[in-house]
Amino acid sequence: AMGAEIIRAHCINAFELAFPRQQWTSENDLRAFVDNVSTERKADTYFACPLGGGVGSELSNFDSGDLLDWFLTAFNPNALRYTEIIMSEVSVVNNVCSMDKLFFASIGNCHVHAMSRLMIEVDEDGKLVRWLDHFDQEDLNQKMGVCNLQLDVTDEL
């Protein structure tokens, strides 16, 4: 069994491949993130964003291409400026890390913040096995909608 410090470092690395510190995420960041998906444990892979969101928000037994397609459909960095930031200590149990993180997006002059609990499981090589994001989809959609309404108003002036 690997030590908690090593697991924690692997989890933070997996997260920061997609969401480098101090910058908006890019398609290249997401490509690096999905390249880090476990092939050894492909049958166990599970991605949920949000967890419990049903069809379109959950993937299982996937490869990096499937996950990239999901991101480019749901959260395309070429269409939306956003990033995520770890906001708490990263706790470790076995090969699973959990943390509070912030989703932050910029739409015109409008900013969207959404906090959620994230669980990441990594394999022995530090590759991503599971990513479970417990965010509130309705809350996020509402906040994004408010920003988009403000944009529509600005466009008409």
Side-chain angles (χ1 to χ4, degrees):
M2 286 192 292
E5 281 308 313
I6 295 171
I7 299 289
R8 182 179 290 110
H10 282 322
C11 289
I12 293 170
N13 176 64
F15 182 95
E16 290 184 347
L17 284 171
F19 307 113
R21 294 179 200 198
Q22 310 285 314
Q23 63 190 57
W24 300 114
T25 196
S26 70
E27 185 174 330
N28 281 344
D29 298 328
L30 294 179
R31 286 180 183 279
F33 173 72
V34 303
D35 282 346
N36 190 49
V37 168
S38 179
T39 50
E40 292 283 305
R41 292 187 53 201
K42 182 177 185 288
D44 298 327
T45 54
Y46 189 65
F47 177 89
C49 183
L51 189 62
V55 177
S57 67
E58 303 187 8
L59 297 173
S60 56
N61 192 10
F62 61 87
D63 60 28
S64 55
D66 300 326
L67 188 54
L68 185 65
D69 288 347
W70 184 89
F71 268 103
L72 294 181
T73 303
F75 289 97
N76 189 332
N78 304 310
L80 177 69
R81 287 203 305 177
Y82 73 96
T83 191
E84 300 195 349
I85 304 158
I86 297 171
M87 301 295 283
S88 71
E89 289 298 309
V90 176
S91 61
V92 179
V93 178
N94 299 323
N95 278 24
V96 178
C97 302
S98 55
M99 67 211 75
D100 295 324
K101 56 99 174 152
L102 177 71
F103 170 88
F104 178 72
S106 175
I107 302 172
N109 291 328
C110 190
H111 298 286
V112 174
H113 300 86
M115 287 287 291
S116 62
R117 192 80 182 153
L118 175 66
M119 291 175 63
I120 297 174
E121 181 181 351
V122 292
D123 69 13
E124 275 61 41
D125 300 318
K127 302 283 190 185
L128 183 70
V129 179
R130 291 191 300 157
W131 176 281
L132 308 178
D133 192 342
H134 295 257
F135 82 88
D136 183 333
Q137 181 82 55
E138 285 182 15
D139 176 58
L140 182 60
N141 289 348
Q142 189 176 1
K143 287 172 176 171
M144 301 276 272
V146 168
C147 275
N148 284 319
L149 280 175
Q150 289 183 16
L151 272 187
D152 292 344
V153 170
T154 312
D155 288 345
E156 287 167 16
L157 293 178

